[in-house]
């Protein structure tokens, strides 16, 4: 019937047929319309598929495996000469313009569907960008970049006071080696019913076991009781170097807090001698590479705790590299340690002395220990000055002891090559010096 | 939302409101519904304006959506293999399929891409890492300069720690071409081996990117340069097109021996049909004259001058 043919063919025919054509008989109309539809360039599905027509209205965009079309040109808006749109018709009509519809508002707040405003419209937007070092930063140049950012001089090895603490027999735990090896075996073998605990499991387990061992010395060292371990605290410290603003932000790891500050490790002569040291630059790479550059920021300086916290001084920061989000090489891990130790020290300095830049009479010392379950990195950072804008003047000091293995192998199955056991199963290659240094850093300030 | 607009549109077709409208074209003596359908066609401003609604939906195939990103990143991106199939699902190129999974590293072929705020200056970058790329025969190098890192095609003797230069200056004297540096063709001395050649200035390198290949800069002719490609074809491009100096890395790529059918399958090459036709004409060495030089320079035509 003529009526049916009209509605049936409407998806394909884009022109309203003139009245004269419609008065033909039904089948003839149907054939003509279908042929017109088929022969038109707007219906490539029926035609040879190897020819890609520019418009493919019968196939949706998701089915075509082509790059998206370039956007059409901007039509100039002339008042009084706007194009007629199909808004009033309420459906698409070929030949009429797409109407300018207002952006749809939900009307109520759906927490799962939230579009954040553009950075320029946010309240904390500033013209000058800020480079933020957060816990996920993976700096390309590693320790050199951290030293430039913190205006610090690198000293290999731990300072003499801490090394003497390590060697002192009065500071040892009884059966120290046996107990440490048992702690390692617990973390690496005995912690789960699975054959092999994952790194995310044994790394924090080992660290907590070692801290528990060190905490057992409270009987002989009463100063150890005036400390507190805190996890998941957020640090914020901001400073400027040259023309750029920098910030250290984020939840980094376990922090051991103390009631009294650590004594300064380097004397005044050593501090003044750092003024001659020239900071190492790495042209052509800029020191701000890999830092998060943002225009929406707040220059915050906060130690992560309230002012009336009974343990205000940061003593040691324990970082764990358990292979998750994102994995860091030892070089980058040491850079992270330096940056966050500096951040803690700077936040403390801002609390004590305000935002003014000056050389500190009483330098602030913060220690840091990082581990990936086997290798330990020790960093002691001494903040001598908050004058960080220029590259000259007194520098801060960073003692770095890198890649100290606590043990060589902790294998579930022995390594056998050519029927000879090369590495036995269980714990092997235990190094007692590493735990002595760990203990020395723990006891520093209380022994 | 689609439902509400559908309802509001259909509410306009209620029986009670038909009598208020005048149908301009009463072509068919159909039912009341047909009349209602037709009478909506003339403009009726009393209807609420609402967005049109779709009665179709996309299938949501992520066939090429994995590569529709504008933001550059050095992180490798997972690739969806096509198996030689096109958007209809039929095989368009035979012999492709399977193979080891690959991740695509976005290569920056436009060497002369400045950072924001540093346009016009010479770019110096340090090579951080040279590594194998599963998506191409050449090796790729991660270079870092200023505040950004990017992947580029490595040249033959590129090592970690090298400094490479990219400059857009064309002086009267030709530049001493160091391997790995990128200069416009007008600044390079005649006879240098080049790779990653741009055909149009600013478009990005399109030619001479495969392992071990190099082109030769033959002549420089008033504002254009003529380059011989690895296939011995000659090409004329503007002298402001950038090119990198040296041969592309992985020079012994064509000397490798596949060794077994399995290695070809690891590369994603499926076996060919093996049917031999005597008169195929594809095998054997062909000796024929070079085609005329292709010019990518829009010189004003003779008729335009006249």
């Amino acid at each position: 019937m003529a009526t049916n043919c009209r509605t049936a063919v409407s998806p394909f025919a884009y022109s309203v047929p003139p009245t004269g054509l419609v008065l033909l008989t039904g089948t003839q109309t149907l054939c003509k319309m279908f042929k017109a539809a088929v022969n038109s360039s707007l219906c490539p599905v029926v035609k040879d598929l190897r020819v890609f027509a520019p418009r493919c209205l019968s196939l949706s965009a998701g089915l075509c495996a082509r790059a998206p079309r370039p956007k059409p040109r901007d039509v100039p808006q002339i008042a009084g000469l706007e194009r007629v749109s199909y808004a009033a018709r309420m459906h698409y009509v070929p030949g009429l313009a797409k109407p300018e519809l207002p952006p749809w508002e939900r009307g109520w707040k759906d927490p799962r569907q939230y579009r954040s405003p553009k950075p320029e419209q946010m309240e904390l937007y500033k013209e000058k960008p800020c480079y933020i070092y957060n816990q996920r930063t993976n700096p390309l140049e590693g320790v050199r970049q951290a030293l430039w950012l913190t205006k610090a001089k690198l000293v290999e090895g731990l300072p003499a006071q801490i090394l003497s603490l390590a060697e002192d027999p009065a500071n040892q735990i009884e059966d120290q080696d046996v107990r440490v090896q048992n702690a390692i075996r617990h973390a690496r073998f005995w912690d789960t019913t699975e054959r092999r605990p994952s790194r995310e499991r044994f790394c924090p387990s080992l660290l907590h076991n070692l801290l528990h061992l060190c905490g057992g010395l409270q009987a002989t060292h009463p100063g150890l009781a005036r400390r507190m371990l805190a996890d998941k605290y957020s640090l914020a410290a901001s400073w400027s170097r040259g023309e750029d603003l920098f910030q250290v932000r984020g939840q980094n790891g376990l922090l051991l807090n103390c009631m009294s500050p650590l004594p300064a490790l380097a004397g005044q002569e050593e501090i003044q001698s750092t003024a001659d040291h020239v900071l190492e630059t790495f042209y052509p790479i800029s020191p701000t590479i890999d830092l998060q550059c943002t225009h929406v920021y707040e220059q915050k300086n906060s130690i992560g705790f309230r002012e009336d916290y009974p343990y205000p001084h940061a003593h040691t920061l324990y970082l764990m590299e358990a292979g998750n989000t994102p994995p860091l090489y030892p070089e980058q891990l040491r850079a992270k340690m330096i940056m966050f130790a500096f951040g803690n020290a700077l936040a403390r300095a801002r609390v004590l002395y305000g935002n003014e830049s000056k050389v500190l009479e009483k330098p602030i010392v913060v220690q840091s220990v990082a581990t990936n379950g086997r290798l330990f990195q020790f960093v002691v950072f001494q903040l001598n000055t908050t004058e960080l804008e220029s590259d000259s003047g007194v520098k801060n000091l960073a003692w770095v002891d890198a890649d100290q293995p606590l043990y060589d192998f902790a294998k579930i199955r022995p390594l056998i090559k050519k029927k000879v056991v090369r590495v036995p199963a269980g714990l092997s290659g235990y190094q007692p010096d590493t735990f002595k240094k760990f203990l020395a850093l723990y006891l520093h300030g209380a022994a | 939302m689609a439902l509400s607009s559908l309802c509001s549109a259909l509410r306009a077709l209620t029986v009670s409101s038909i009598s208020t409208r005048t149908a301009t074209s009463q072509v068919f003596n159909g039912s009341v519904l047909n009349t209602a359908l037709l009478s909506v066609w003339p403009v009726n401003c009393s209807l609420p304006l609402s967005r049109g609604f779709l009665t179709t939906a996309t299938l949501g195939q992520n066939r090429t959506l994995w590569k529709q990103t504008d933001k550059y990143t050095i992180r490798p991106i997972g690739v969806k293999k096509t198996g030689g199939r096109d958007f209809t699902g039929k095989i368009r190129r035979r012999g492709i399929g399977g193979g080891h999974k690959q991740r695509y590293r976005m290569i920056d072929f436009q060497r002369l891409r400045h950072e924001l705020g540093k346009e016009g200056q010479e770019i110096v970058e340090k090579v951080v890492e040279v590594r194998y790329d599963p998506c191409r025969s050449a090796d790729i190098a991660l270079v870092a300069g200023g505040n950004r890192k990017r992947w580029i095609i490595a040249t033959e003797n590129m090592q970690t720690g090298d400094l490479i230069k990219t400059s857009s200056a064309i002086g009267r004297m030709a530049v001493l071409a160091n391997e790995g540096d990128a200069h416009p063709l007008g600044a390079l001395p005649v006879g240098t081996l080049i790779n990653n050649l741009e055909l149009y200035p600013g478009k990005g390198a399109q030619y001479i990117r495969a392992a071990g290949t190099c082109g030769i800069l033959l002549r420089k002719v008033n504002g254009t340069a003529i380059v011989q490609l690895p296939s011995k074809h000659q090409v004329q491009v503007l002298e402001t097109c950038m090119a990198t100096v040296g041969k592309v890395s992985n020079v012994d790529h064509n000397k490798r021996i596949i060794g077994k059918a399995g290695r070809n399958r690891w590369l994603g090459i499926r076996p060919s049909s093996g049917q031999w036709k005597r008169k195929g004409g594809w095998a054997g060495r062909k000796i024929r004259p070079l085609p005329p030089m292709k010019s990518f320079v829009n010189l004003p035509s003779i008729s335009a001058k006249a």
Side-chain angles (χ1 to χ4, degrees):
Chain A
M1 278 193 53
T3 314
N4 290 340
C5 98
R6 172 137 184 201
T7 48
V9 187
S10 51
F12 288 90
Y14 294 108
S15 54
V16 178
T19 322
L21 187 62
V22 172
L23 289 176
L24 292 171
T25 49
T27 42
Q28 275 186 353
T29 319
L30 184 64
C31 295
K32 284 209 173 198
M33 281 181 177
F34 194 64
K35 273 187 201 155
V38 162
N39 291 334
S40 75
S41 63
L42 302 173
C43 187
V45 168
V46 183
K47 272 178 75 175
D48 181 21
L49 287 170
R50 279 189 281 277
V51 174
F52 287 100
R55 296 181 67 184
C56 189
L57 292 159
S58 50
L59 278 185
S60 51
L63 283 176
C64 302
R66 291 182 76 200
R69 285 178 13 224
K71 298 191 173 76
R73 65 181 181 93
D74 279 325
V75 181
Q77 305 287 339
I78 307 170
L81 283 179
E82 292 100 3
R83 297 180 58 193
V84 179
S85 74
Y86 57 79
R89 301 277 197 101
M90 293 225 300
H91 64 93
Y92 173 75
V93 174
L96 296 187
K98 186 165 177 187
E100 285 278 337
L101 292 164
W104 177 73
E105 307 265 329
R106 195 181 306 272
W108 56 281
K109 183 187 152 203
D110 186 359
R112 281 162 55 175
Q113 322 259 3
Y114 169 68
R115 306 296 292 266
S116 60
K118 292 205 172 104
E120 290 84 14
Q121 288 151 12
M122 295 207 171
E123 299 140 11
L124 295 173
Y125 176 77
K126 294 168 184 63
E127 293 291 335
K128 190 169 176 189
C130 176
Y131 297 94
I132 302 187
Y133 193 105
N134 53 34
Q135 66 270 32
R136 291 178 55 100
T137 309
N138 192 344
L140 181 69
E141 286 288 322
V143 174
R144 292 200 298 175
Q145 194 174 350
L147 291 173
W148 189 93
L149 288 171
T150 56
K151 198 180 170 188
K153 181 182 168 190
L154 179 70
V155 181
E156 298 284 342
L158 288 173
Q161 295 99 316
I162 295 182
L163 289 172
S164 61
L165 269 180
E167 298 306 321
D168 190 357
N171 298 337
Q172 314 286 346
I173 314 167
E174 50 180 73
D175 304 330
Q176 179 173 300
D177 288 342
V178 174
R179 293 177 84 172
V180 171
Q181 284 175 319
N182 278 340
I184 301 169
R185 286 192 191 104
H186 168 262
R188 285 304 298 257
F189 307 125
W190 306 332
D191 203 12
T192 58
T193 51
E194 296 157 7
R195 289 213 52 184
R196 196 166 130 171
S198 60
R199 192 178 287 276
E200 277 109 26
R201 223 189 135 97
F202 75 68
C203 187
S205 175
L206 178 64
L207 191 67
H208 285 110
N209 289 349
L210 295 178
L211 282 172
H212 185 76
L213 273 179
C214 298
L217 276 176
Q218 267 189 32
T220 47
H221 299 82
L224 292 178
R226 298 151 55 81
R227 290 185 181 180
M228 177 61 68
L229 261 183
D231 196 4
K232 293 202 177 150
Y233 80 105
S234 298
L235 177 69
S238 68
W239 72 101
S240 66
R241 287 276 279 133
E243 297 143 359
D244 304 311
L245 286 169
F246 294 96
Q247 280 195 26
V248 165
R249 288 281 192 126
Q251 294 182 351
N252 29 73
L254 279 171
L255 185 64
L256 186 66
N257 287 309
C258 204
M259 280 184 169
S260 52
L262 279 170
L265 287 164
Q268 278 298 320
E269 321 79 47
E270 198 176 341
I271 295 173
Q272 295 306 323
S273 68
T274 59
D276 307 323
H277 173 77
V278 175
L279 288 173
E280 198 182 346
T281 52
F282 23 89
Y283 179 79
I285 299 174
S286 151
T288 54
I289 201 170
D290 281 329
L291 297 183
Q292 178 194 1
C293 176
T294 171
H295 288 266
V296 178
Y297 58 92
E298 186 195 347
Q299 283 192 290
K300 204 164 101 162
N301 284 294
S302 137
I303 54 173
F305 302 91
R306 295 202 304 234
E307 293 99 24
D308 55 347
Y309 187 56
Y311 310 93
H313 300 271
H315 184 276
T316 315
L317 179 62
Y318 293 98
L319 292 174
M320 280 181 287
E321 209 283 288
N324 50 359
T325 57
L328 291 176
Y329 283 114
E331 176 80 11
Q332 272 77 29
L333 187 59
R334 286 193 286 275
K336 183 177 171 183
M337 289 162 75
I338 296 176
M339 290 302 300
F340 280 104
F342 168 78
N344 274 303
L346 187 67
R348 188 83 218 126
R350 297 272 193 238
V351 166
L352 289 175
Y353 306 110
N355 279 356
E356 51 188 74
S357 316
K358 60 180 207 174
V359 179
L360 308 174
E361 308 95 27
K362 280 192 264 188
I364 302 172
V365 174
V366 176
Q367 294 167 157
S368 181
V369 175
T371 176
N372 69 348
R374 186 178 80 88
L375 292 173
F376 278 77
Q377 331 275 346
F378 302 109
V379 160
V380 182
F381 193 90
Q382 175 168 321
L383 187 74
N384 298 324
T385 170
T386 49
E387 273 172 10
L388 300 163
E389 282 84 9
S390 67
D391 279 344
S392 59
V394 171
K395 313 275 189 302
N396 303 315
L397 280 163
W399 289 266
V400 173
D401 206 5
D403 290 334
Q404 308 290 315
L406 184 58
Y407 53 92
D408 285 333
F409 295 100
K411 292 187 88 65
I412 307 283
R413 299 189 63 198
L415 181 70
I416 301 176
K417 292 273 187 198
K418 295 197 178 166
K419 299 190 186 173
V420 174
V421 176
R422 310 284 172 180
V423 179
L427 184 65
S428 60
Y430 171 67
Q431 315 273 347
D433 298 325
T434 314
F435 183 72
K436 284 190 191 150
K437 289 182 190 171
F438 184 93
L439 188 58
L441 281 178
Y442 185 84
L443 292 172
H444 183 222
Chain B
M1 182 224 126
L3 187 62
S4 62
S5 47
L6 176 65
C7 292
S8 60
L10 289 177
R11 211 178 300 125
L13 307 172
T14 50
V15 177
S16 56
S17 55
I18 289 170
S19 56
T20 59
R21 284 190 235 108
T22 57
T24 51
S25 60
Q26 290 277 350
V27 181
F28 301 109
N29 294 325
S31 59
V32 172
L33 189 57
N34 269 338
T35 323
L37 276 172
L38 296 171
S39 58
V40 173
W41 284 44
V43 175
N44 195 331
C45 300
S46 66
L47 293 168
L49 283 183
S50 75
R51 200 182 288 276
F53 47 87
L54 264 184
T55 50
T56 56
T58 60
L59 269 185
Q61 290 175 329
N62 192 17
R63 296 208 47 178
T64 52
L65 290 177
W66 63 270
K67 49 181 167 180
Q68 312 299 356
T69 172
D70 301 322
K71 194 159 158 45
Y72 182 83
T73 172
I74 58 166
R75 196 175 51 86
I77 303 173
V79 164
K80 284 203 181 318
K81 288 188 186 281
T82 62
R85 272 97 178 151
D86 64 3
F87 70 98
T88 58
K90 291 190 172 170
I91 293 181
R92 192 170 261 260
R93 165 72 66 90
R94 296 189 304 191
I96 299 180
H100 198 284
K101 266 196 183 168
Q102 295 175 348
R103 284 199 293 173
Y104 171 65
R105 284 143 183 98
M106 295 173 80
I107 311 283
D108 193 5
F109 287 111
Q110 191 179 334
R111 270 294 283 270
L112 195 64
R113 197 187 295 266
H114 295 277
E115 278 184 273
L116 288 174
K118 291 188 194 168
E119 284 87 4
Q121 297 167 22
E122 194 181 75
I123 306 174
V124 181
E125 282 160 323
K126 183 173 150 189
V127 175
V128 173
E129 187 195 0
V130 177
R131 63 158 289 156
Y132 170 82
D133 189 11
C135 301
R136 64 198 74 249
S137 54
D139 292 337
I140 54 172
L142 180 65
V143 299
N147 265 330
R148 63 147 185 217
K149 294 183 275 197
R150 55 185 182 157
W151 291 107
I152 60 169
I153 303 273
T155 56
E156 191 184 355
N157 295 321
M158 218 182 240
Q159 308 290 338
T160 311
D162 290 351
L163 288 179
I164 54 177
K165 194 165 69 161
T166 311
S167 89
S168 59
I170 307 178
R172 269 187 353 117
M173 290 255 301
V175 170
L176 181 68
N178 293 319
E179 191 188 317
D181 291 349
H183 295 276
L185 287 171
L188 292 171
V190 166
T192 41
L193 299 179
I194 58 170
N195 61 75
N196 288 65
L197 174 67
E198 282 187 343
L199 291 181
Y200 301 100
K203 193 166 179 196
Q206 286 176 289
Y207 277 45
I208 322 176
R209 298 176 354 188
T213 50
C214 60
I216 309 173
L217 183 59
L218 293 175
R219 299 207 313 268
K220 289 195 274 190
V221 170
N222 64 330
T224 66
I226 295 172
V227 175
Q228 177 179 287
L229 301 178
S231 55
K232 309 283 190 301
H233 286 28
Q234 295 187 356
V235 132
Q236 182 179 31
V237 290
L238 281 174
E239 67 170 6
T240 49
C241 292
M242 299 292 293
T244 323
V245 177
K247 287 200 229 181
V248 183
S249 55
N250 204 6
V251 182
D252 296 327
H253 177 73
N254 57 347
K255 298 193 187 83
R256 67 172 178 169
I257 301 171
I258 301 285
K260 57 178 192 176
R263 190 161 281 118
N264 252 340
R265 298 305 298 271
W266 300 341
L267 299 171
I269 302 169
R270 282 178 62 217
S272 45
S273 80
Q275 191 185 28
W276 178 70
K277 283 274 178 197
R278 188 183 309 277
K279 299 245 194 185
W282 62 270
R285 187 169 170 202
K286 311 281 184 302
I287 299 176
R288 52 197 179 112
L290 277 183
M293 183 174 73
K294 174 101 174 139
S295 176
F296 291 95
V297 176
N298 292 333
L299 293 168
S301 61
I302 301 167
S303 55
K305 272 193 240 172

